[in-house]
């Protein structure tokens, strides 16, 4: 009796399994027919692509590509599509702000936002000055020929006006800090201007930039100590 009941239960489970498989195949066929052949708009949406066929992405380059077309040359001039330089400028700031926080407390979000905005603006200003200095050289190099100024997307005058706007906004950020930070930040403009020129006299412009930065910081620390005493 038990054997007969077990056999009946096994047959019932097999029937349920076969019915489920048939239903799954049917649903797969229906979905495949609804999606249409490869290359249609529906299949692109199933693949996670946008209506224009471009992949949906939150990368810096994708954000610049999604910006209005008249704005894109200025964003590329700031190198917003290549944010590694901004991170290299901002991360030491976040580390310092984190060290200055009270034990057990998060870093000051106001200071993080100020220095983050300043990093974007000052890195952009440095890149703008670099492209203005090197516009004639960039045209002759394959890697840099498509930069906005070299390619003619932005005139020298407009890039100069754009540079003034970046420096004005950066000054507004700087004025939110104390007087010592204002003086140190103003002195850093020397580095922003001279760093692109170092490429013409040495193969190690980063070394020259580091030496200048150390000299400026030591000088201001000596002055601060002198006036404090």
């Amino acid at each position: 009796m038990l054997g007969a009941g077990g056999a009946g239960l096994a047959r019932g489970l097999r029937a349920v399994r076969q019915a489920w498989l048939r239903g799954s195949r049917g649903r797969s066929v229906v979905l495949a027919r609804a999606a249409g052949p490869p290359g249609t708009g529906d299949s692109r949406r199933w693949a996670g692509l946008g209506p224009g066929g471009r992949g949906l992405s939150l990368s810096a380059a994708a954000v610049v590509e999604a910006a209005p077309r008249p704005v894109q040359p200025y964003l590329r001039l700031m190198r917003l599509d290549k944010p590694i330089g901004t991170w290299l400028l901002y991360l030491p700031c976040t580390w310092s702000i984190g060290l200055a926080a009270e034990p057990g407390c998060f870093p000051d979000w106001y200071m993080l936002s100020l220095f983050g905005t300043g990093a974007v603006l000052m890195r952009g200003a440095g890149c703008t000055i670099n492209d203005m200095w090197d516009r004639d050289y960039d045209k002759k190099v394959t890697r840099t020929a498509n930069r906005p100024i070299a390619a003619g997307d932005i005139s020298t005058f407009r890039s100069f006006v754009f540079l003034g706007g970046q420096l004005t906004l950066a000054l507004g950020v700087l004025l939110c800090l104390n007087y010592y930070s204002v003086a140190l930040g103003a002195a850093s403009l020397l580095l922003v201007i001279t760093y692109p020129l170092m490429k013409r006299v040495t193969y190690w412009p980063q070394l020259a930039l580091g030496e200048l930065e150390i000299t400026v910081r030591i000088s201001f620390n000596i002055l601060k100590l002198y006036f404090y005493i």
Side-chain angles (χ1 to χ4, degrees):
M1 181 177 181
L2 291 175
L9 180 60
R11 286 195 298 272
L13 290 175
R14 283 197 297 271
V16 171
R17 176 175 175 273
Q18 292 173 358
W20 183 84
L21 289 175
R22 285 195 298 270
S24 299
R25 294 193 189 97
R27 284 192 296 271
S28 300
V29 171
V30 171
L31 289 176
R33 290 175 178 174
T40 62
D42 290 337
S43 63
R44 283 198 300 268
R45 284 193 288 272
W46 277 101
L49 299 179
R54 294 182 297 179
L56 301 177
S57 175
L58 293 178
S59 66
V63 171
V64 171
E65 288 294 330
R69 190 168 298 275
V71 181
Q72 290 183 17
Y74 295 94
L75 299 182
R76 291 198 301 271
L77 184 60
M78 296 178 65
R79 306 289 197 276
L80 285 185
D81 55 332
K82 301 174 182 177
I84 181 62
T86 303
W87 283 115
L88 291 175
L89 183 60
Y90 181 52
L91 288 178
C93 301
T94 62
W95 181 256
S96 301
I97 295 171
L99 291 175
E102 294 292 335
C105 298
F106 287 106
D108 189 343
W109 290 104
Y110 177 69
M111 297 298 292
L112 288 174
S113 61
L114 281 181
F115 278 84
T117 305
V120 172
L121 292 172
M122 291 307 298
R123 196 264 176 138
C127 292
T128 302
I129 293 175
N130 177 82
D131 288 6
M132 291 174 65
W133 285 126
D134 295 342
R135 60 184 182 275
D136 294 329
Y137 296 97
D138 289 342
K139 296 176 183 178
K140 304 175 183 179
V141 180
T142 303
R143 183 179 64 86
T144 58
N146 61 347
R147 287 179 175 176
I149 298 178
D153 297 332
I154 302 177
S155 65
T156 304
F157 175 75
R158 288 186 178 182
S159 62
F160 185 78
V161 173
F162 183 61
L163 173 63
Q166 293 178 87
L167 293 178
T168 301
L169 293 176
L171 177 62
V173 173
L174 187 61
L175 293 178
C176 296
L177 306 175
N178 56 34
Y179 292 119
Y180 175 74
S181 300
V182 171
L184 189 61
S188 68
L189 286 177
L190 176 66
L191 308 176
V192 175
I193 295 173
T194 57
Y195 169 61
L197 297 177
M198 291 296 105
K199 294 182 295 184
R200 305 186 184 190
V201 297
T202 177
Y203 290 106
W204 300 284
Q206 291 84 0
L207 179 61
L209 178 65
E211 291 178 349
L212 286 172
E213 183 176 5
I214 291 173
T215 302
V216 169
R217 289 185 179 276
I218 290 176
S219 301
F220 271 92
N221 283 326
I222 292 174
L223 290 174
K224 183 179 180 181
L225 180 62
Y226 173 78
F227 285 108
Y228 178 77
I229 294 175

